[in-house]
Amino acid sequence: MGQEVFERVIADKGGRPDFALQSAGAYVVRTSPSYAYQLVTAFKERALTLLGRYKADFVMGFPNSPSMAITPDIALGKCWGFQGQASNITIHLARPAIVDAFTVEHVHRSVAFSLASAPRSIRIYGSPADRARLNDSTEAIEYFFGEIEYSISELDSHMQYFEVPDELKVLLPSRAVRVQIMDNHGGDFTCLYRIRVHGVDV
């Protein structure tokens, strides 16, 4: 019964349980740059702009919490956004799982002003480390699940599913995943609307 309830809670339109879903118990351990750094940078930039001491073609607003990337709401602007093209986000999974696939979502092209902010190349790593290990200064042991590429082609869905290649599958449960965004599709900033982690519950 407990397993059935868990799967019902974390299954949605993707058709598979999402172990990275915040409402099921997943949470963001850390990002790089950190959320605090992003807030301070945005505040300074906005203050200098208002004082007329800083001029730019684009000034990004105050960033959303990184936890937006593990929630179901992908309405326009409901994303984890950061300046530039590269960043990392580490997610403590709702339950340990033998990871075998991922889903990446961006806002639908019909309501997007531009798709340039969508992530393009993404590397994903798994870690068996527990919460205490993840929160200390020592790097956790990781295994590489592969590099995926999110497409903004009109032929592709805004919700794209990627399986871990057979040669990279690990038959050990992961307690966390690290999502390393390498670049985007040419934007000044990047928005990760949602990342889902799929696998077998253990």
Side-chain angles (χ1 to χ4, degrees):
M1 177 64 71
Q3 176 66 20
E4 291 179 2
V5 171
F6 175 73
E7 292 193 357
R8 193 179 304 121
V9 168
I10 64 177
D12 52 23
K13 63 184 178 181
R16 294 196 65 189
D18 175 16
F19 290 87
L21 183 62
Q22 183 181 44
S23 59
Y27 58 89
V28 175
V29 177
R30 68 165 69 94
T31 62
S32 177
S34 70
Y35 182 49
Y37 175 83
Q38 289 179 282
L39 284 174
V40 170
T41 300
F43 179 80
K44 287 181 178 178
E45 186 178 86
R46 182 59 58 86
L48 290 173
T49 301
L50 293 175
L51 292 172
R53 298 177 183 175
Y54 178 83
K55 294 183 179 180
D57 294 331
F58 172 82
V59 178
M60 189 171 182
F62 292 105
N64 292 324
S65 166
S67 63
M68 292 297 297
I70 54 174
T71 58
D73 188 356
I74 60 164
L76 184 63
K78 298 290 187 177
C79 65
W80 172 49
F82 54 87
Q83 201 80 39
Q85 297 194 357
S87 188
N88 286 266
I89 181 170
T90 300
I91 302 163
H92 189 275
L93 302 180
R95 292 170 67 155
I98 297 176
V99 176
D100 59 27
F102 304 91
T103 298
V104 179
E105 289 184 68
H106 195 70
V107 66
H108 196 278
R109 65 172 56 251
S110 63
V111 296
F113 296 116
S114 169
L115 296 178
S117 65
R120 190 174 71 89
S121 299
I122 304 172
R123 293 176 181 171
I124 305 181
Y125 303 82
S127 172
D130 59 18
R131 179 179 177 182
R133 181 68 182 276
L134 282 169
N135 284 330
D136 67 24
S137 60
T138 304
E139 287 299 320
I141 297 172
E142 291 183 321
Y143 22 80
F144 183 50
F145 285 130
E147 183 170 330
I148 60 180
E149 184 165 318
Y150 183 87
S151 171
I152 58 172
S153 167
E154 293 182 2
L155 301 177
D156 293 313
S157 169
H158 72 288
M159 183 172 68
Q160 297 175 24
Y161 179 82
F162 305 90
E163 291 188 346
V164 176
D166 287 341
E167 64 272 18
L168 294 177
K169 286 182 178 177
V170 178
L171 299 180
L172 294 172
S174 294
R175 200 64 182 100
V177 296
R178 180 167 67 89
V179 180
Q180 183 180 18
I181 299 173
M182 308 299 292
D183 57 14
N184 62 22
H185 288 270
D188 295 324
F189 64 97
T190 304
C191 285
L192 178 62
Y193 274 82
R194 187 174 179 188
I195 178 75
R196 308 187 199 197
V197 178
H198 310 296
V200 178
D201 185 26
V202 293

